[in-house]
Amino acid sequence: MADTVEAKRSGADGDAGKEAERGDELAVGGKILRSRLFLGTGRFPDPLALKEAIAASGAEVLTFSIRRVQLEDLAGDAVLKHVDHDRHVFLPNTSGARTAEEAVRIARLARAAGAGNWVKVEISVADETLLPDPAETLRATELLAKEGFAVFAYCSDDPVLCRRLAEAGAAAVMPGGSPIGSGLGILNPYNLALIAEQVRVPVIVDAGIGAPSDAALAMELGASAVLVNTAVARARDPAAMAAAFRRAVEAGRLARLAGRIPKRKYATASSGHEELISPPYRVGGVPL
Amino acid sequence: MTGAGRGHAAGTGIGRGRAVAVRGRTGGETDVLVVGGGVIGLSCALACRWRGLGVTLLEKGVTGGQASGAAAGLLAPFSENGEQPDAFFQLCRESFAMFGDWLDRLREWTDRDVELVRCGTVHVAFHEADEWPMTVRARWQREHGVRAEWVGAARLRELEPSLCPDAVGALFYPDEAHLRAPVYAEALREACERAGVVIVERANGLQIRLTGDAVVLESGAGESGPTGEGGATGKFGGGDAGSGAGNRKEGPVAGRWEAGRLILCTGAWSAGWQEALGIRIPVHPIRGQICSFPVPFGRVRRIVFSPQGYAVGKKNGTLVCGASEDVAGFDASVTEEGIGRLVRMGRRLFPELADVAPCHAWAGLRPATRDGWPLIGPVNERVFCAFGHYRNGVLLSPVTAAWAAAWAAGGEWKAEKTGSGRRAETVGGGRRAAREGDAKRTDRDTDVWAPGVPAFRAAFDPRRFTPAATAAT
């Protein structure tokens, strides 16, 4: 893709970044998305904050907890009534489920209520970490994929598990950077880079993102998208934080496309002549 | 505001404020000005008065007319804080703990029964998947001394027999309570008057001016000022509100008031003070619509929450169902869609309401803030903010009042003590205030209602949205 950037730049004397982003849509679950920032709708202080944050984030995909909404009338739900249903894609989640069967039942309820065939499988263990249960998540992914759902599997940042989920039919894997709501950021960037490299479906980093820099890092490491909720909803100014995340995700994505320099142990003078005799290098050995 | 004037106002109540107001500032009797006559303003005024301070309260319309009169009066600190034991949880819990003493004290000053019902709350689960998030929530809350438990379907049936049969369980808080918010506002008002707070209504378009050693409020009578913004004037007639607001229809009051300290309790109308105070005040109105069904008291035993709203049975034979959260600016009217949702929610929870028509519908404007937490605290040595309480004004009224009064009495900002402070020996039977040049606290302070200032107050600093101000703090 670095080549593409170069080619486009020679054609347009304007903003090379914009050129790079053009045509950089994300295809996932049968849809084409322009925004790589997914936003959760929970925990906002009030509906105006929610509306403003959605607008500022530019997010197209919004998540909500199936058990929290009024399935009989989604458009009249206490929270979802504040969202423009035509302009957004809903990603309902199964939060609260403890087993694969429970998650399957919840997902079916949502689909029957007209919430579409996307579902985020969220099966967490019942302790203070709320970490996703890998065995139940894998099982639920298999079951729901067979039923024709586009399954977004929320999981731990284990490269092997993510591969297994993709093989089981997940439309995307959603590894957590750290425990949900913790704001601890990306605790294992090595794993995340490996997942992005190895897994053949989009990788959407979910959970634990605390600041825009975390989101930028996730994108630089090769994630296809980032999902945030608490970091925006509980910020002092949710709309401003949403705008910051939008820029961070865009920056991280652009940086990924642009190709970062490799890390080196020693200094290299930026004003020297070394570049003239050094061969062009690939970015850290990671194919772009 | 002579002593006679104060007695006059105290004895005969509302409407007499006009006579006092046109006379305006009359030499040194008012220590504290309070702007805003909702439950927060009335509570702050009362707590200041109980500390022996001379208090004048200015209200742009009538007291208890906005969010206070529209509220369902829930005292539900644990329902409101399901996430973590943060500063807001502490604030709510502290205020809840103060409520008993606060109402006892209030009863010494008014005969009105605020219809407190300590019935507990059930958060009804309709999904099996609700059980463990509620259990997790109960677990951390119990670690902080909250009585909270998950109850299964059978036990829930005992707790709330008329609830719909498909509820799978509930999170039960046995200690939560509710009161009649409009009556509470009336009781606070009556107590204020009897304690000698001067209440001035229809003081619209107030402008703040800080002078060297005082704060001055001026009303140009009808000029648009911060409190005049929007013009929503308590359109919840026919609702739960029982005040005689309709009798007070005289024109706006012009005047000039001056005191050493000012407490702003202006709810959803607070953003207009930004320029005068030099801080960012991200407060906006979120409309809450409520309706009620005629249901005998006791038929619905608990406060019942669902993800779509709540229902609470009042002693006046109504089941109050609330509340929408609408982005509608300062429009405080009810909508067919909004009330329709609540009616469906009520009937979903209680099938026996299927053929019952709602009897009342009303709306109010909650003061929402950008981060969901109120703005409470001083912004400088003369001005204290107490607004942005959103859904929790009634619940947070005692702690807010105690905090504001502690500040107004010089308890918090000793260094800035101006010497204008006065302190009464007691507040009973007229005001026996004595000048107190050295501003030292006396043992007699223990006679007044004077809980301390919350230790976690920094979280509610009204300057937190103003980058320069927070950087300097």
Side-chain angles (χ1 to χ4, degrees):
Chain A
M1 280 187 211
D3 294 342
T4 322
V5 174
E6 205 50 51
K8 284 181 175 167
R9 181 174 303 152
S10 59
D13 58 353
D15 187 339
K18 284 221 168 64
E19 288 297 331
E21 284 180 306
R22 199 161 297 154
D24 184 38
E25 283 102 355
L26 169 63
V28 62
K31 292 193 163 66
I32 304 289
L33 304 171
R34 287 181 309 282
S35 169
R36 291 171 180 270
L37 175 58
F38 292 19
L39 190 64
T41 56
R43 307 183 74 171
F44 280 87
D46 71 77
L48 183 65
L50 171 67
K51 285 169 81 110
E52 289 180 348
I54 291 172
S57 72
E60 293 166 274
V61 178
L62 304 177
T63 67
F64 63 82
S65 170
I66 296 166
R67 68 186 168 85
R68 298 291 302 169
V69 301
Q70 171 181 269
L71 284 174
E72 313 89 80
D73 175 21
L74 275 182
D77 175 75
V79 172
L80 297 181
K81 73 169 183 165
H82 298 289
V83 176
D84 185 340
H85 288 233
D86 296 331
R87 292 176 58 181
H88 294 101
V89 181
F90 287 130
L91 177 55
N93 69 55
T94 65
S95 80
R98 281 168 297 184
T99 65
E101 286 70 27
E102 229 178 304
V104 168
R105 282 197 294 274
I106 296 171
R108 285 177 185 154
L109 281 176
R111 184 160 70 177
N117 76 326
W118 280 25
V119 67
K120 175 181 156 189
V121 170
E122 184 171 341
I123 306 173
S124 302
V125 294
D127 66 24
E128 63 275 5
T129 66
L130 298 184
L131 286 169
D133 183 323
E136 296 297 319
T137 300
L138 181 57
R139 221 149 55 76
T141 299
E142 275 168 0
L143 292 168
L144 288 168
K146 277 185 195 141
E147 293 189 17
F149 281 93
V151 179
F152 292 66
Y154 167 57
C155 56
S156 46
D157 57 350
D158 182 311
V160 180
L161 173 65
C162 287
R163 265 160 40 198
R164 287 295 191 83
L165 288 165
E167 287 160 17
V173 293
M174 305 186 78
S178 49
I180 188 167
S182 70
L184 292 172
I186 293 164
L187 296 181
N188 194 338
Y190 173 84
N191 267 16
L192 200 56
L194 213 54
I195 293 167
E197 185 183 320
Q198 295 186 338
V199 177
R200 293 289 147 223
V201 296
V203 175
I204 302 163
V205 174
D206 183 1
I209 300 286
S213 52
D214 301 331
L217 175 61
M219 298 305 292
E220 287 172 24
L221 291 169
S224 301
V226 169
L227 190 157
V228 290
N229 189 345
T230 307
V232 169
R234 303 306 300 166
R236 178 166 293 161
D237 186 337
M241 189 58 85
F245 268 101
R246 176 184 195 155
R247 287 164 170 77
V249 168
E250 286 171 1
R253 176 63 184 171
L254 202 47
R256 175 69 181 181
L257 296 178
R260 62 152 293 162
I261 60 163
K263 293 182 179 177
R264 296 180 178 213
K265 189 172 179 186
Y266 296 110
T268 51
S270 59
S271 56
H273 300 287
E274 292 88 343
E275 296 92 325
L276 299 178
I277 54 171
S278 299
Y281 37 74
R282 301 282 292 173
V283 179
V286 179
L288 289 172
Chain B
M1 258 155 284
T2 62
R6 182 168 289 121
H8 190 57
T12 55
I14 53 181
R16 302 307 191 278
R18 186 184 186 89
V20 176
V22 289
R23 230 179 293 149
R25 156 83 175 156
T26 53
E29 294 281 345
T30 297
D31 302 307
V32 188
L33 293 166
V34 176
V35 180
V39 293
I40 296 295
L42 291 166
S43 298
C44 288
L46 189 57
C48 286
R49 187 71 200 104
W50 282 347
R51 282 193 177 241
L53 300 170
V55 183
T56 295
L57 183 149
L58 304 164
E59 157 60 43
K60 75 179 171 64
V62 295
T63 59
Q66 299 289 348
S68 304
L74 304 188
L75 305 178
F78 319 125
S79 296
E80 283 289 332
N81 289 277
E83 292 173 2
Q84 65 250 327
D86 54 23
F88 190 66
F89 169 75
Q90 308 288 351
L91 187 74
C92 288
R93 194 175 56 165
E94 180 150 326
S95 201
F96 186 69
M98 293 165 76
F99 234 99
D101 283 351
W102 172 251
L103 290 182
D104 284 348
R105 189 75 202 258
L106 187 61
R107 256 177 237 117
E108 296 171 12
W109 293 87
T110 173
D111 300 325
R112 284 178 205 259
D113 175 13
V114 301
E115 300 177 25
L116 180 73
V117 182
R118 295 185 179 274
C119 58
T121 302
V122 289
H123 286 249
V124 180
F126 291 103
H127 281 281
E128 51 188 344
D130 282 323
E131 178 175 349
W132 91 253
M134 287 183 174
T135 309
V136 168
R137 172 175 168 165
R139 191 187 301 157
W140 77 253
Q141 290 183 325
R142 275 199 300 270
E143 282 169 16
H144 289 81
V146 178
R147 289 210 293 162
E149 59 171 319
W150 167 261
V151 295
R155 174 103 168 88
L156 176 59
R157 200 77 53 242
E158 290 169 23
L159 291 171
E160 199 58 74
S162 53
L163 194 64
C164 58
D166 59 330
V168 298
L171 177 57
F172 178 41
Y173 297 115
D175 296 323
E176 291 191 334
H178 64 92
L179 49 71
R180 277 280 297 291
V183 183
Y184 177 54
E186 286 170 12
L188 287 170
R189 184 195 165 105
E190 191 170 273
C192 279
E193 286 170 340
R194 290 191 177 161
V197 172
V198 177
I199 295 176
V200 182
E201 295 186 315
R202 300 178 315 284
N204 205 344
L206 291 171
Q207 306 287 338
I208 300 176
R209 201 154 49 79
L210 295 173
T211 68
D213 56 358
V215 55
V216 179
L217 287 177
E218 283 170 309
S219 168
E223 283 173 25
S224 68
T227 55
E229 181 181 291
T233 49
K235 293 173 74 175
F236 22 87
D240 197 36
S243 79
N247 299 331
R248 306 177 210 144
K249 279 187 176 162
E250 298 107 285
V253 168
R256 180 177 182 280
W257 299 268
E258 184 177 326
R261 294 196 166 190
L262 169 66
I263 302 171
L264 295 171
C265 310
T266 38
W269 287 264
S270 299
W273 303 121
Q274 286 189 125
E275 268 187 44
L277 300 183
I279 58 168
R280 283 187 63 205
I281 303 179
V283 173
H284 57 272
I286 294 291
R287 182 174 64 195
Q289 301 187 52
I290 307 197
C291 70
S292 63
F293 291 92
V295 174
F297 179 64
R299 181 75 195 145
V300 172
R301 298 180 183 175
R302 319 279 167 183
I303 303 165
V304 178
F305 269 93
S306 82
Q308 298 300 317
Y310 58 82
V312 53
K314 295 290 176 182
K315 283 184 174 173
N316 69 348
T318 60
L319 181 72
V320 172
C321 293
S324 70
E325 292 185 289
D326 308 332
V327 180
F330 285 91
D331 177 0
S333 52
V334 296
T335 68
E336 206 173 306
E337 180 258 331
I339 297 300
R341 263 195 66 242
L342 295 170
V343 169
R344 285 194 296 281
M345 189 264 308
R347 290 178 176 157
R348 168 88 180 83
L349 288 173
F350 300 100
E352 69 188 46
L353 295 178
D355 301 319
V356 181
C359 48
H360 295 305
W362 65 100
L365 302 174
R366 306 181 190 87
T369 69
R370 188 137 293 168
D371 61 1
W373 287 4
L375 284 72
I376 310 174
V379 291
N380 56 47
E381 68 272 25
R382 307 220 164 270
V383 183
F384 189 96
C385 292
F387 45 67
H389 294 70
Y390 200 45
R391 284 189 296 246
N392 295 293
V394 172
L395 170 65
L396 293 174
S397 54
V399 75
T400 305
W403 187 351
W407 171 80
E412 184 178 6
W413 282 36
K414 288 200 177 85
E416 282 88 352
K417 184 83 183 158
T418 59
S420 70
R422 304 155 64 86
R423 188 163 283 123
E425 291 170 6
T426 77
V427 292
R431 185 154 166 273
R432 288 178 286 159
R435 281 262 169 227
E436 191 183 57
D438 61 1
K440 284 228 173 66
R441 312 197 83 180
T442 67
D443 290 338
R444 291 199 181 94
D445 280 343
T446 54
D447 291 344
V448 303
W449 190 80
V453 175
F456 37 81
R457 60 184 175 274
F460 307 102
D461 190 333
R463 297 164 297 180
R464 68 186 181 272
F465 300 102
T466 310
T470 35
T473 303

